Structures are given as C-alpha cells and as structure tokens.
Amino acid sequence: FIAAVMKQKEIDHHASHSNLINQWLHLISSSMFIYCYAIMYNDYESAMYIGLLSLIIRQSGHYIFEPPCHEKEQAMLGFDTENKVKICVTYGVIPALIMAQIALTTDVQVSLAQAWLVVTFSVVFGRVALLWYRYGFVVSMHWYVKFVTDPFTDIPAYYKSGYQIFSPTLLQGALHASFPNYISEPAGYVKPSSGYDKTKAE
C-alpha cells in the first residue's frame, strides 16, 4: 500500500513538479499546510484562511511556471492543473455569494471559513468517491493518503529549492523552462535534482 502511494507521488512529481520555482512555491505551501494541520482542531478558521493562501501559492506554481504537462498528468489519480485552477476559482466565488446573501438579508448563519471548509471536504471526498467508483476502494485510498501526506513528503523532496532559488543561473534556467520564448537558457545550466530524482537515480 505504501509503495503504491509513493509511486503516485513520484508520478505526480515527474508530471507537474519539474520546475525549480514550482518546487520552491510547493516548499513554502507545504510548510504552511503543516502549520494548518497543527492548528486545525483549535482554530479551524485561521487554518482555512492560511490553507487557502497556501493553495493559491501552490497552484500558481503549476499554472504560471510549470511547462505544459497535460498529457503527463493523465497518469495521475489526482486533479490536473486545469481542474486545480477551477477549484481555486470556486474558492474565490464563495465570498461573492456570501456578500450577495448579506446584501439580500442580514440573516447569514455561515461564515466564510465554514463555507470554505464545506467546499474543501466536498472536493476531497468527492474525489475519493469518484476514484472509488472507477477503480475501487484501495486505489481511492492511495490518492487520499497521498493527498493528505503531500505536505510532509514535499519538504524532504524539495528542500534544496529553498537555497537553489537564490542561484541566478538556476533561477534563469527555471524561468527559461517556463518562458522559453522570452528568457534564454544560461550558459552551463544543469537542471537541479529533487528528492524524487535522487531516489530514481539510486
């Protein structure tokens, strides 16, 4: 079971986490998510606000900096980049709906954090239900365990990006991968490896 979960993490990495800037944003995002896990029980509203900011940081890495990877993402059990953007838009629409409700009536019993929490559970367990229907319970649990543990495995996988991002050569190389028509590849550039690449090489 654990081997299957780690295999999904490796597939996810090679499909849509090859860019150094994206890895660095995931390092930041995962650190924030771990903090959210720690405070969720005692302060779920703060956890939801911080978690949403973390989600935006995380998905901006995919949407802006990661090279097109739609075909590679088809091997994943999780959401592809297009669907992740739609989820972020949904989170953005919720405040507008609540404000509209306030404008129509002051009797609003649901807070923004509560609405976001409902959406989060709906998205996550909706995905679990879909995978269960398509592939069976065990495979759906592969994705669920992968999803909830991603912040913890992202740290050892992408910790190098925390200092590699400050290398002008590596940063320019990452920007070239994202915007090849506008930024040239620096001389002597060698793409840095991540924790998953190291594991594969061994």
Side-chain angles (χ1 to χ4, degrees):
F1 182 88
I2 298 300
V5 171
M6 295 308 297
K7 181 62 177 179
Q8 279 300 312
K9 289 178 181 287
E10 185 177 346
I11 291 173
D12 186 30
H13 163 75
H14 290 293
S16 58
H17 298 81
S18 63
N19 188 277
L20 174 63
I21 301 173
N22 189 23
Q23 293 176 5
W24 180 62
L25 292 174
H26 271 62
L27 183 65
I28 296 172
S29 171
S30 292
S31 300
M32 294 170 67
F33 270 129
I34 291 173
Y35 176 72
C36 291
Y37 285 168
I39 68 171
M40 185 70 184
Y41 181 77
N42 293 320
D43 188 3
Y44 80 90
E45 288 196 351
S46 294
M48 288 308 302
Y49 296 136
I50 297 171
L52 181 60
L53 175 59
S54 175
L55 179 66
I56 293 171
I57 292 172
R58 198 176 191 87
Q59 300 315 321
S60 67
H62 286 296
Y63 190 72
I64 299 173
F65 298 106
E66 196 68 34
C69 53
H70 179 72
E71 292 184 0
K72 293 181 180 180
E73 288 181 326
Q74 300 312 300
M76 295 163 38
L77 291 175
F79 301 102
D80 59 21
T81 299
E82 182 179 349
N83 284 324
K84 290 174 182 177
V85 171
K86 291 178 181 178
I87 291 171
C88 288
V89 170
T90 300
Y91 280 109
V93 168
I94 289 174
L97 294 177
I98 292 178
M99 290 179 66
Q101 181 67 21
I102 292 175
L104 295 173
T105 174
T106 57
D107 186 23
V108 177
Q109 302 297 325
V110 179
S111 69
L112 182 58
Q114 289 172 335
W116 276 337
L117 184 63
V118 170
V119 171
T120 299
F121 276 100
S122 299
V123 168
V124 173
F125 290 104
R127 187 67 182 182
V128 169
L130 178 62
L131 292 173
W132 189 347
Y133 173 76
R134 287 181 176 177
Y135 307 112
F137 175 73
V138 173
V139 173
S140 72
M141 288 298 98
H142 289 166
W143 177 80
Y144 178 69
V145 172
K146 173 204 170 297
F147 176 79
V148 298
T149 60
D150 270 348
F152 299 99
T153 52
D154 281 353
I155 302 297
Y158 302 137
Y159 77 93
K160 290 182 180 179
S161 66
Y163 60 83
Q164 290 172 336
I165 197 72
F166 297 105
S167 166
T169 299
L170 295 180
L171 179 58
Q172 183 178 340
L175 289 170
H176 167 73
S178 301
F179 312 105
N181 294 331
Y182 302 99
I183 299 176
S184 61
E185 182 174 287
Y189 170 73
V190 177
K191 183 179 177 180
S193 62
S194 73
Y196 290 107
D197 296 320
K198 180 180 179 181
T199 300
K200 189 176 181 179
E202 293 176 348

